Amino acid sequence: MQPISAVLPHDIHNEALVSNVHPPDWQNPEPASRYNLVVIGAGTAGLVTAAGAAGLGAKVALVERHLLGGDCLNVGCVPSKCIIRSSRVAADLCEAHQFGIRVPEGMGVDFPAVMERMRRLRARISVHDSARRFKDLGVDVFLGEGKFSGPDTLEVAGKTLRFKKAVIATGTRPVHPTIEGLAEVGFLTNETVFSLTEQPRRLAVIGGGPIGCELAQAFRRLGCEVTLFHNASHILNREDSDAADILQRSFIRDGIRLILNCKTKRVEKKNGSKVIHIECGGKEDEITVDEILAGAGRAPNVEGLNLEAVGVKYDKREGVQVNEYLQTTNPRIYAAGDICLKYKFTHTADATARIVIQNALFLGRKKQSALTIPWCTYTDPEIAHVGMYERDAQEKGIAVDTFIRPLSDVDRAIADGEEEGFVKIHVRKGTDEILGATIVARHAGEMLSEITLAMVGHLGLGTLSNVIHPYPTQAEAIKQAADAYNRTRLTPFIKGLFTRWFTWAR
Ligand SMILES: Cc1cc2nc3c(=O)[nH]c(=O)nc-3n(C[C@H](O)[C@H](O)[C@H](O)COP(=O)(O)OP(=O)(O)OC[C@H]3O[C@@H](n4cnc5c(N)ncnc54)[C@H](O)[C@@H]3O)c2cc1C
């Protein structure tokens, strides 16, 4: 746990943030004799659980050891999307000449101003997650480290909270890579990178997953020399290679140096810089940088909760073990969000919190496997996905038909100069049942929800062909894919019938 004083730099924005999400003068309330629900961790999962349960009339305690809002507000989605926005402006200005726009001399990135904008907006958004707001919603907010102390009790800051049900929503923290010398030379993670006020001239990013890719591109576009290390043959290896290839080309155009499939052997400090020694295909090389940012996975916050004492099974890498109903191995204790999920996103933390409210408080039987989970990596272009990949279908022995529309065939994408990308939709073979989709586009995350809605509402791809899309929009690519499906219904037999009909009708 980082002390509150680690929310750097000390400025009016961070002061406003802390006064919302960990008020220095906060007085923990006197605990109720017993709570319907005690929630440990006030990230998205904990906040949604607490607000929802209290809104329904339950007596709820919410326990947070650091900042309400958790990763998403403080060191995750919110700050990253703020700086990504600035980096897109910088990239657009660099390419302005392609749109017939002359940019005046002297254009440049004011890095401290980019970071200050981020801190200002984060502080503004933090009102939604503020301790006072949750108090007003009827939640007893306790600031301090929560630890189970008995079958129905949790200790926090010297107080004992008795519960009927409890929810573990303690999230994750960044994994510290085990590279020789790295700890000694020092490195940034998502917990510290958003505190930067000066731009590192040369930045190494370790890890080409969503966090590493988003931040590598953002920092490159803000003017850093960026080297991205990833230990696989393409970045974002969860995504299809055709999608990742488009992003890799975009990274190379941006000037990111990609080091794929190499072994990072050790790091040392030399003349005030950090030197990374790597081995690629039997050859040794070294890369000199000013800062190293580790985005190499997440570790669940399971330590210190005394989970053994309450019979909650966990794994130090996978987190808290839960069943379909998000119940832990102790039936009175549930879990939600990153601490127990494979898909670690704010929207899954939110969705699982809603399941927990129903299952823990109302004898509900909502299953996590019933969720249709989309996600998006907010690079440029974005890569958004929902449902199955083709390889998932193959593994399950499900035959699919796949419809792909390149954005280079979509008028709006051509007009926007954003032709690199595609919409790819998989349906169960011979039917229009949508099984999964990937979109690569500048605003793929915004486009994807139409397909997610269709999947949740059991609407087939044929129905999407009947949806009128305003012209010109990039989302027309979805309709084009649906039209392509419709054309497959015109079998030679049906076409023969039509031909005979038209011959007769002439
Ligand atoms: C850089 C970055 C960018 C991201 N961008 C996106 C994005 O664009 N979209 C998206 O959907 N997701 C994104 N994510 C993921 C998202 O932030 C997480 O999925 C989400 O925050 C999970 O919420 P949570 O409530 O499960 O956990 P957390 O947000 O981690 O909250 C857990 C809380 O529990 C507290 N806690 C832990 N142990 C204790 C204890 N013993 N007692 C009391 N409190 C405790 C912690 O202090 C923390 O506040 C991003 C993550 C990162 C790191």
Side-chain angles (χ1 to χ4, degrees):
M1 179 181 68
Q2 292 195 11
I4 299 307
S5 56
V7 182
L8 296 172
H10 297 293
D11 69 354
I12 50 165
H13 308 306
N14 280 346
E15 211 173 277
L17 172 78
V18 171
S19 79
N20 279 328
V21 294
H22 194 119
D25 57 350
W26 188 257
Q27 298 285 327
N28 283 340
E30 265 318 300
S33 55
R34 191 169 159 96
Y35 289 97
N36 296 102
L37 201 62
V38 167
V39 183
I40 311 127
T44 306
L47 291 173
V48 173
T49 311
L56 293 167
K59 189 73 191 152
V60 181
L62 176 64
V63 179
E64 171 56 51
R65 67 178 178 184
H66 189 41
L67 304 174
L68 275 83
D71 275 5
C72 182
L73 169 70
N74 300 293
V75 289
C77 332
V78 170
S80 61
K81 269 71 239 176
C82 289
I83 66 165
I84 285 171
R85 180 70 185 101
S86 295
S87 74
R88 280 197 175 192
V89 173
D92 284 347
L93 286 173
C94 286
E95 293 190 352
H97 62 279
Q98 292 184 21
F99 296 82
I101 307 295
R102 276 193 303 274
V103 176
E105 286 286 307
M107 184 218 104
V109 172
D110 180 349
F111 186 79
V114 168
M115 299 307 270
E116 193 193 350
R117 171 183 181 273
M118 176 275 290
R119 294 195 300 276
R120 175 168 48 80
L121 299 180
R122 179 175 62 180
R124 182 171 149 203
I125 292 171
S126 70
V127 174
H128 303 148
D129 296 351
S130 76
R132 280 180 204 88
R133 173 164 176 255
F134 276 76
K135 184 181 173 195
D136 291 346
L137 291 173
V139 176
D140 281 357
V141 177
F142 292 86
L143 296 182
E145 177 123 19
K147 179 181 178 180
F148 289 103
S149 52
D152 64 348
T153 53
L154 187 104
E155 299 293 314
V156 54
K159 305 205 175 200
T160 302
L161 313 184
R162 300 187 78 80
F163 60 81
K164 173 91 170 150
K165 299 280 172 62
V167 182
I168 304 168
T170 49
T172 57
R173 60 181 184 277
V175 166
H176 291 191
T178 49
I179 300 169
E180 188 192 322
L182 184 63
E184 289 74 25
V185 304
F187 59 100
L188 300 166
T189 66
N190 71 294
E191 290 179 346
T192 46
V193 71
F194 301 112
S195 297
L196 286 178
T197 48
E198 276 179 38
Q199 184 167 27
R201 189 167 67 80
R202 298 161 302 180
L203 177 71
V205 178
I206 297 176
I211 295 173
C213 283
E214 287 184 6
L215 293 178
Q217 191 182 40
F219 276 91
R220 173 64 199 137
R221 289 175 161 199
L222 292 173
C224 302
E225 285 171 28
V226 173
T227 308
L228 176 60
F229 296 80
H230 188 55
N231 57 2
S233 56
H234 70 73
I235 53 172
L236 291 183
N237 38 314
R238 180 160 63 186
E239 302 301 339
D240 285 342
S241 58
D242 53 356
D245 280 348
I246 293 178
L247 187 61
Q248 275 187 200
R249 286 202 295 274
S250 167
F251 276 14
I252 288 164
R253 273 200 307 276
D254 279 330
I256 295 174
R257 181 171 176 198
L258 279 176
I259 309 270
L260 299 172
N261 257 338
C262 293
K263 191 168 167 30
T264 312
K265 295 187 76 180
R266 67 192 167 88
V267 183
E268 63 176 337
K269 207 150 199 176
K270 239 191 221 171
N271 306 326
S273 301
K274 297 176 183 186
V275 181
I276 304 172
H277 295 265
I278 57 168
E279 189 191 300
C280 283
K283 278 195 188 159
E284 308 248 319
D285 201 355
E286 53 180 60
I287 288 145
T288 305
V289 296
D290 302 301
E291 269 301 354
I292 299 171
L293 168 64
R298 313 289 303 168
N301 292 324
V302 286
E303 296 81 5
L305 287 164
N306 205 14
L307 294 177
E308 293 79 3
V310 280
V312 171
K313 283 198 183 149
Y314 66 91
D315 179 288
K316 284 197 164 171
R317 287 159 66 113
E318 308 291 326
V320 168
Q321 193 180 312
V322 287
N323 64 16
E324 267 288 68
Y325 309 103
L326 293 166
Q327 203 168 28
T328 68
T329 43
N330 177 337
R332 299 168 70 139
I333 302 177
Y334 288 71
D338 282 8
I339 189 65
C340 62
L341 298 179
K342 179 177 169 202
Y343 297 107
K344 300 187 193 320
F345 304 110
T346 293
H347 45 276
T348 43
D350 180 307
T352 50
R354 289 162 199 260
I355 291 180
V356 163
I357 294 171
Q358 296 186 47
N359 292 355
L361 298 177
F362 295 103
L363 308 171
R365 301 294 281 170
K366 287 269 172 191
K367 292 184 178 182
Q368 55 159 325
S369 62
L371 296 174
T372 302
I373 301 174
W375 56 82
C376 182
T377 301
Y378 297 92
T379 41
D380 189 10
E382 296 175 353
I383 301 184
H385 181 85
V386 62
M388 287 186 198
Y389 295 96
E390 200 168 354
R391 60 176 185 270
D392 298 331
Q394 266 166 9
E395 268 169 29
K396 292 190 165 119
I398 302 172
V400 297
D401 290 320
T402 300
F403 299 93
I404 304 183
R405 295 303 300 165
L407 291 188
S408 53
D409 280 355
V410 179
D411 295 357
R412 180 58 187 270
I414 296 170
D416 286 340
E418 294 169 2
E419 293 178 49
E420 270 206 289
F422 57 76
V423 166
K424 173 162 53 172
I425 304 177
H426 308 295
V427 294
R428 193 181 291 272
K429 197 167 190 57
T431 75
D432 74 343
E433 182 195 346
I434 303 172
L435 298 176
T438 297
I439 301 182
V440 183
R442 200 167 208 213
H443 297 287
E446 306 283 352
M447 290 165 69
L448 187 72
S449 294
E450 178 178 356
I451 298 175
T452 310
L453 173 69
M455 290 176 74
V456 171
H458 304 291
L459 303 173
L461 189 54
T463 304
L464 292 187
S465 158
N466 295 332
V467 175
I468 300 176
H469 289 69
Y471 177 88
T473 51
Q474 293 194 17
E476 278 185 289
I478 297 171
K479 185 174 162 55
Q480 288 183 4
D483 288 343
Y485 157 76
N486 263 351
R487 283 195 292 278
T488 64
R489 296 166 68 196
L490 195 63
T491 59
F493 173 71
I494 298 202
K495 201 165 178 194
L497 286 182
F498 281 176
T499 307
R500 280 160 63 189
W501 160 260
F502 286 125
T503 308
W504 177 81
R506 273 202 283 272

